[in-house]
Amino acid sequence: MKEESLFNYNTLMLYVNGNNVLGERIKRMIVAEIPKDLAKMEAALHKEDWGFVGAMAHKIKPIIQMCGNKKLYDCVESIEKDGKQHLALHTMGSRLRNLKLQIALLLTEIEHHTQY
Amino acid sequence: MVIKDSSKTERNEIVSFHDGFVFVVDDNPVFLVVLEEELKSMLPEARVMTFRTGEECLSNIYLAPFLIVLDYDLSAGDKCGFNGIKVLREIKKKVPAAEVVMLSGLDDLKIVVRSMQCGAFDYVLKGEDALGNMRSKVGHVLRKLRKKEAYGGSKELKWFFKWLSISLLLFETGI
């Protein structure tokens, strides 16, 4: 059975109005930018700066949405909400670890994705 | 991006919306590029500038952009600085005629109302149809600006006809 794809190129194409060149540029940017934001999120988690964890989740949320991954989007959105409202903080560490793992898989998929 | 221009002057007045400035402010670099490309294709004659923080936008506000697409939540890029509403207020103080379209990933009516109260032209929710919505809102802004321009023209015509009628009256009365 084929594994479910984490990256949906068609969703990204909706965002860039079918512009393949821009789509490729955005893919490279996603691969370059998301790890930086995740690192900032982790640093904020260690400092227990929950507001900033939420703010970083908010920042990466539209990028995840562009990748067409609803499950991952919901995960980021829940981290955003709970971070901003200081809720379920005891689960934040494990949720962030899971998010990091899922995003690593997503980025690998994006890197190996070809439009043809 | 901050322009370092020695000939920097206080302009704060929109000269023309045809080849004027358009600012895009978003702390998300990926979304920023998408918006920039979209606005460039929509407004090929305008000069589209992008900023990742509210402070950068405000330090270039003397360029008097006619349109600003501004992210509501700039907290990730501007932790100790400005959020979208604060930037919006500053923009409206400095360039009241600039039309600001707010952008947010938060689907919250309170934010929409707050943005409008602070002088935003409209509000776009970041999502799959964000670009389509933005295109439509920018279209509304352009129509509004064109109307303003047309109204300016008819005002001049009004004065011309007034002058003409006075001249004719004076001619008829032989003065």
Side-chain angles (χ1 to χ4, degrees), chain B residues 49-68:
Chain B
M49 293 178 71
T50 59
F51 306 100
R52 286 178 70 168
T53 67
E55 280 152 325
E56 285 178 6
C57 164
L58 292 173
S59 63
N60 287 285
I61 202 70
Y62 69 92
L63 293 169
F66 65 89
L67 171 67
I68 300 173

Side-chain angles (χ1 to χ4, degrees), chain B residues 76-96:
Chain B
D78 244 341
K79 202 182 170 196
C80 307
F82 294 96
N83 65 31
I85 287 291
K86 206 170 165 187
V87 178
L88 172 62
R89 284 202 185 113
E90 287 298 312
I91 289 168
K92 283 290 167 185
K93 254 189 237 164
K94 289 174 179 156
V95 190

Side-chain angles (χ1 to χ4, degrees), chain B residues 10-103:
Chain B
E10 284 294 325
R11 215 169 89 185
N12 295 353
E13 199 178 301
I14 295 162
V15 178
S16 160
F17 72 87
H18 299 289
D19 57 354
F21 285 92
V22 172
F23 284 6
V24 191
V25 193
D26 198 324
D27 58 357
N28 183 328
V30 178
F31 219 79
L32 199 60
V33 168
V34 174
L35 290 171
E36 181 190 14
E37 292 301 320
E38 185 60 26
L39 285 165
K40 273 182 183 168
S41 72
M42 280 188 82
L43 305 158
E45 286 170 7
R47 283 166 281 184
V48 181
M49 293 178 71
T50 59
F51 306 100
R52 286 178 70 168
T53 67
E55 280 152 325
E56 285 178 6
C57 164
L58 292 173
S59 63
N60 287 285
I61 202 70
Y62 69 92
L63 293 169
F66 65 89
L67 171 67
I68 300 173
V69 177
L70 174 67
D71 188 21
Y72 173 82
D73 195 337
L74 293 166
S75 53
D78 244 341
K79 202 182 170 196
C80 307
F82 294 96
N83 65 31
I85 287 291
K86 206 170 165 187
V87 178
L88 172 62
R89 284 202 185 113
E90 287 298 312
I91 289 168
K92 283 290 167 185
K93 254 189 237 164
K94 289 174 179 156
V95 190
E99 300 295 357
V100 182
V101 174
M102 292 298 278
L103 199 68

Side-chain angles (χ1 to χ4, degrees), chain A residues 15 17 49 59 66 84, chain B residues 27-28 73 79 127-128 131:
Chain A
Y15 277 92
N17 228 354
D49 185 351
K59 190 183 167 192
M66 272 184 199
K84 285 181 176 173
Chain B
D27 58 357
N28 183 328
D73 195 337
K79 202 182 170 196
E128 274 176 32
L131 286 189

Side-chain angles (χ1 to χ4, degrees), chain A residues 8 22-23 28 31 35 41 47 67 78-79 90-91 112:
Chain A
N8 187 339
L22 183 58
R28 283 195 299 275
V31 172
M41 246 172 131
K47 286 186 212 160
C67 297
S78 74
I79 292 176
H90 61 286
T91 63
H112 292 105

Side-chain angles (χ1 to χ4, degrees), chain A:
Chain A
M1 197 177 84
K2 201 187 165 201
E3 269 184 54
E4 202 184 324
S5 177
L6 294 168
F7 173 59
N8 187 339
Y9 190 67
N10 293 332
T11 307
L12 179 62
M13 280 294 105
L14 283 176
Y15 277 92
V16 297
N17 228 354
N19 182 339
N20 281 321
V21 178
L22 183 58
E24 289 302 309
R25 189 176 162 199
I26 295 299
K27 269 167 56 183
R28 283 195 299 275
M29 284 189 82
I30 291 172
V31 172
E33 292 295 330
I34 289 196
K36 288 185 211 165
D37 293 336
L38 276 178
K40 284 183 194 168
M41 246 172 131
E42 262 192 316
L45 179 88
H46 292 308
K47 286 186 212 160
E48 298 190 353
D49 185 351
W50 309 115
F52 196 61
V53 170
M56 291 312 297
H58 175 77
K59 190 183 167 192
I60 65 170
K61 200 171 70 172
I63 306 180
I64 300 296
Q65 198 172 29
M66 272 184 199
C67 297
N69 190 322
K70 177 83 174 77
K71 219 168 149 183
L72 209 49
Y73 175 85
D74 290 342
C75 172
V76 176
E77 192 172 50
S78 74
I79 292 176
E80 178 196 356
K81 280 185 182 161
D82 291 346
K84 285 181 176 173
Q85 293 169 21
H86 292 208
L87 297 172
L89 299 177
H90 61 286
T91 63
M92 207 58 107
S94 63
R95 282 151 80 191
L96 205 57
R97 273 194 298 279
N98 181 42
L99 179 70
K100 213 177 149 188
L101 180 72
Q102 290 298 313
I103 285 182
L105 294 170
L106 171 72
L107 297 184
T108 309
E109 206 172 295
I110 293 174
E111 275 180 308
H112 292 105
H113 177 267
T114 47
Q115 67 200 71
Y116 307 106

